[in-house]
CSV table of all heavy atoms in Angstrom, one decimal:
chain,number,residue,atom,x,y,z
N,32,VAL,N,4.9,7.1,23.5
N,32,VAL,CA,3.7,7.9,23.9
N,32,VAL,C,4.0,8.8,25.1
N,32,VAL,O,3.6,10.0,25.1
N,32,VAL,CB,2.5,6.9,24.3
N,32,VAL,CG1,1.3,7.7,24.9
N,32,VAL,CG2,2.1,6.1,23.1
N,33,ALA,N,4.7,8.3,26.1
N,33,ALA,CA,5.1,9.1,27.2
N,33,ALA,C,5.9,10.3,26.8
N,33,ALA,O,5.7,11.4,27.3
N,33,ALA,CB,5.9,8.2,28.2
N,34,LEU,N,6.9,10.0,25.9
N,34,LEU,CA,7.7,11.1,25.4
N,34,LEU,C,6.9,12.2,24.7
N,34,LEU,O,7.0,13.4,25.0
N,34,LEU,CB,8.8,10.6,24.5
N,34,LEU,CG,9.7,11.7,23.8
N,34,LEU,CD1,10.4,12.6,24.9
N,34,LEU,CD2,10.8,11.0,22.9
N,35,GLN,N,6.1,11.8,23.8
N,35,GLN,CA,5.3,12.8,23.1
N,35,GLN,C,4.4,13.6,24.0
N,35,GLN,O,4.2,14.8,23.9
N,35,GLN,CB,4.5,12.1,22.0
N,35,GLN,CG,3.6,13.1,21.1
N,35,GLN,CD,4.5,14.2,20.5
N,35,GLN,OE1,5.3,13.9,19.7
N,35,GLN,NE2,4.2,15.4,20.8
N,36,ALA,N,3.8,12.9,25.0
N,36,ALA,CA,2.9,13.5,26.0
N,36,ALA,C,3.7,14.6,26.7
N,36,ALA,O,3.3,15.7,26.9
N,36,ALA,CB,2.3,12.5,26.9
N,37,ALA,N,5.0,14.2,27.1
N,37,ALA,CA,5.8,15.2,27.8
N,37,ALA,C,6.1,16.4,26.9
N,37,ALA,O,6.1,17.6,27.3
N,37,ALA,CB,7.1,14.5,28.3
N,38,LEU,N,6.5,16.1,25.6
N,38,LEU,CA,6.8,17.2,24.7
N,38,LEU,C,5.6,18.1,24.4
N,38,LEU,O,5.7,19.2,24.1
N,38,LEU,CB,7.3,16.6,23.4
N,38,LEU,CG,8.6,15.8,23.4
N,38,LEU,CD1,8.9,15.1,22.0
N,38,LEU,CD2,9.8,16.7,23.8
N,39,SER,N,4.4,17.5,24.5
N,39,SER,CA,3.2,18.3,24.3
N,39,SER,C,2.8,19.0,25.5
N,39,SER,O,1.7,19.7,25.6
N,39,SER,CB,2.0,17.4,23.9
N,39,SER,OG,2.3,16.8,22.6
N,40,GLY,N,3.6,18.9,26.6
N,40,GLY,CA,3.3,19.8,27.8
N,40,GLY,C,2.5,19.1,28.9
N,40,GLY,O,2.2,19.8,29.9
N,41,TYR,N,2.2,17.8,28.7
N,41,TYR,CA,1.5,17.2,29.8
N,41,TYR,C,2.4,16.8,31.0
N,41,TYR,O,3.6,16.6,30.7
N,41,TYR,CB,0.8,15.9,29.3
N,41,TYR,CG,-0.4,16.2,28.3
N,41,TYR,CD1,-0.2,16.0,27.0
N,41,TYR,CD2,-1.6,16.6,28.8
N,41,TYR,CE1,-1.3,16.3,26.1
N,41,TYR,CE2,-2.7,16.9,28.0
N,41,TYR,CZ,-2.5,16.7,26.6
N,41,TYR,OH,-3.5,17.0,25.7
N,42,GLU,N,1.8,16.6,32.1
N,42,GLU,CA,2.5,16.0,33.2
N,42,GLU,C,2.5,14.5,33.0
N,42,GLU,O,1.4,14.0,32.6
N,42,GLU,CB,1.8,16.4,34.5
N,42,GLU,CG,2.6,16.0,35.8
N,42,GLU,CD,1.8,16.4,37.1
N,42,GLU,OE1,1.0,17.3,37.0
N,42,GLU,OE2,2.0,15.7,38.1
N,43,VAL,N,3.6,13.8,33.0
N,43,VAL,CA,3.6,12.4,32.6
N,43,VAL,C,4.3,11.5,33.6
N,43,VAL,O,5.3,11.8,34.2
N,43,VAL,CB,4.4,12.3,31.3
N,43,VAL,CG1,4.5,10.9,30.8
N,43,VAL,CG2,3.8,13.2,30.2
N,44,SER,N,3.7,10.3,33.8
N,44,SER,CA,4.4,9.3,34.5
N,44,SER,C,4.5,8.0,33.6
N,44,SER,O,3.5,7.8,32.9
N,44,SER,CB,3.6,8.9,35.8
N,44,SER,OG,2.4,8.4,35.5
N,45,LEU,N,5.6,7.3,33.7
N,45,LEU,CA,5.7,6.1,33.0
N,45,LEU,C,6.0,5.0,34.0
N,45,LEU,O,6.9,5.0,34.7
N,45,LEU,CB,6.9,6.2,32.0
N,45,LEU,CG,7.2,5.0,31.2
N,45,LEU,CD1,6.1,4.5,30.3
N,45,LEU,CD2,8.4,5.3,30.2
N,46,TYR,N,5.1,4.0,33.9
N,46,TYR,CA,5.2,2.9,34.8
N,46,TYR,C,5.6,1.6,34.2
N,46,TYR,O,5.2,1.3,33.0
N,46,TYR,CB,3.8,2.6,35.4
N,46,TYR,CG,3.6,1.3,36.1
N,46,TYR,CD1,3.9,1.1,37.4
N,46,TYR,CD2,3.0,0.2,35.4
N,46,TYR,CE1,3.8,-0.2,38.0
N,46,TYR,CE2,2.8,-1.0,36.0
N,46,TYR,CZ,3.2,-1.2,37.3
N,46,TYR,OH,3.1,-2.4,37.9
N,47,ASP,N,6.5,0.9,34.8
N,47,ASP,CA,6.8,-0.5,34.4
N,47,ASP,C,7.2,-1.3,35.6
N,47,ASP,O,7.7,-0.8,36.6
N,47,ASP,CB,8.0,-0.5,33.4
N,47,ASP,CG,8.1,-1.7,32.5
N,47,ASP,OD1,8.4,-2.8,33.0
N,47,ASP,OD2,7.7,-1.6,31.3
N,48,ILE,N,7.0,-2.6,35.6
N,48,ILE,CA,7.4,-3.5,36.7
N,48,ILE,C,9.0,-3.6,36.8
N,48,ILE,O,9.5,-4.0,37.8
N,48,ILE,CB,6.8,-4.9,36.7
N,48,ILE,CG1,6.9,-5.5,35.3
N,48,ILE,CG2,5.3,-4.8,37.1
N,48,ILE,CD1,6.7,-7.0,35.4
N,49,ASN,N,9.6,-3.3,35.6
N,49,ASN,CA,11.0,-3.6,35.5
N,49,ASN,C,11.8,-2.3,35.5
N,49,ASN,O,11.7,-1.4,34.6
N,49,ASN,CB,11.2,-4.3,34.2
N,49,ASN,CG,12.6,-4.9,34.0
N,49,ASN,OD1,13.6,-4.3,34.5
N,49,ASN,ND2,12.7,-6.0,33.3
N,50,LEU,N,12.7,-2.1,36.5
N,50,LEU,CA,13.5,-0.9,36.6
N,50,LEU,C,14.4,-0.7,35.4
N,50,LEU,O,14.6,0.4,34.9
N,50,LEU,CB,14.3,-0.8,37.9
N,50,LEU,CG,13.7,-0.3,39.1
N,50,LEU,CD1,14.6,-0.2,40.3
N,50,LEU,CD2,13.2,1.2,38.8
N,51,LYS,N,15.0,-1.8,34.9
N,51,LYS,CA,15.8,-1.7,33.7
N,51,LYS,C,15.1,-1.2,32.5
N,51,LYS,O,15.7,-0.4,31.8
N,51,LYS,CB,16.3,-3.2,33.4
N,51,LYS,CG,17.7,-3.5,33.8
N,51,LYS,CD,18.1,-4.8,33.1
N,51,LYS,CE,19.4,-5.3,33.7
N,51,LYS,NZ,19.7,-6.7,33.3
N,52,SER,N,13.9,-1.6,32.3
N,52,SER,CA,13.1,-1.1,31.2
N,52,SER,C,12.9,0.4,31.3
N,52,SER,O,12.9,1.1,30.3
N,52,SER,CB,11.7,-1.8,31.1
N,52,SER,OG,11.9,-3.2,31.0
N,53,LEU,N,12.7,0.9,32.5
N,53,LEU,CA,12.5,2.3,32.7
N,53,LEU,C,13.7,3.1,32.4
N,53,LEU,O,13.7,4.1,31.8
N,53,LEU,CB,12.0,2.6,34.2
N,53,LEU,CG,10.6,2.1,34.6
N,53,LEU,CD1,10.4,2.1,36.1
N,53,LEU,CD2,9.6,2.9,33.8
N,54,LYS,N,14.9,2.5,32.8
N,54,LYS,CA,16.1,3.2,32.6
N,54,LYS,C,16.4,3.2,31.0
N,54,LYS,O,16.8,4.3,30.5
N,54,LYS,CB,17.3,2.4,33.2
N,54,LYS,CG,18.6,3.1,33.4
N,54,LYS,CD,19.5,2.5,34.3
N,54,LYS,CE,20.9,3.1,34.1
N,54,LYS,NZ,21.8,2.3,33.2
N,55,SER,N,16.1,2.1,30.4
N,55,SER,CA,16.4,2.1,28.9
N,55,SER,C,15.4,3.0,28.2
N,55,SER,O,15.7,3.6,27.2
N,55,SER,CB,16.4,0.7,28.4
N,55,SER,OG,15.4,0.4,27.6
N,56,ALA,N,14.2,3.1,28.7
N,56,ALA,CA,13.2,4.0,28.1
N,56,ALA,C,13.7,5.4,28.1
N,56,ALA,O,13.5,6.1,27.1
N,56,ALA,CB,11.8,3.9,28.9
N,57,LYS,N,14.3,5.8,29.2
N,57,LYS,CA,14.8,7.2,29.3
N,57,LYS,C,15.9,7.4,28.3
N,57,LYS,O,15.9,8.5,27.6
N,57,LYS,CB,15.3,7.5,30.7
N,57,LYS,CG,15.4,8.9,31.0
N,57,LYS,CD,15.9,9.3,32.4
N,57,LYS,CE,16.1,10.8,32.5
N,57,LYS,NZ,17.0,11.1,33.6
Side-chain angles (χ1 to χ4, degrees):
Chain N
V32 173
L34 173 57
Q35 180 59 58
L38 294 174
S39 293
Y41 291 104
E42 192 181 332
V43 177
S44 63
L45 177 59
Y46 163 85
D47 201 287
I48 46 166
N49 189 330
L50 271 183
K51 257 194 191 163
S52 301
L53 290 168
K54 196 167 166 267
S55 114
K57 200 180 170 195

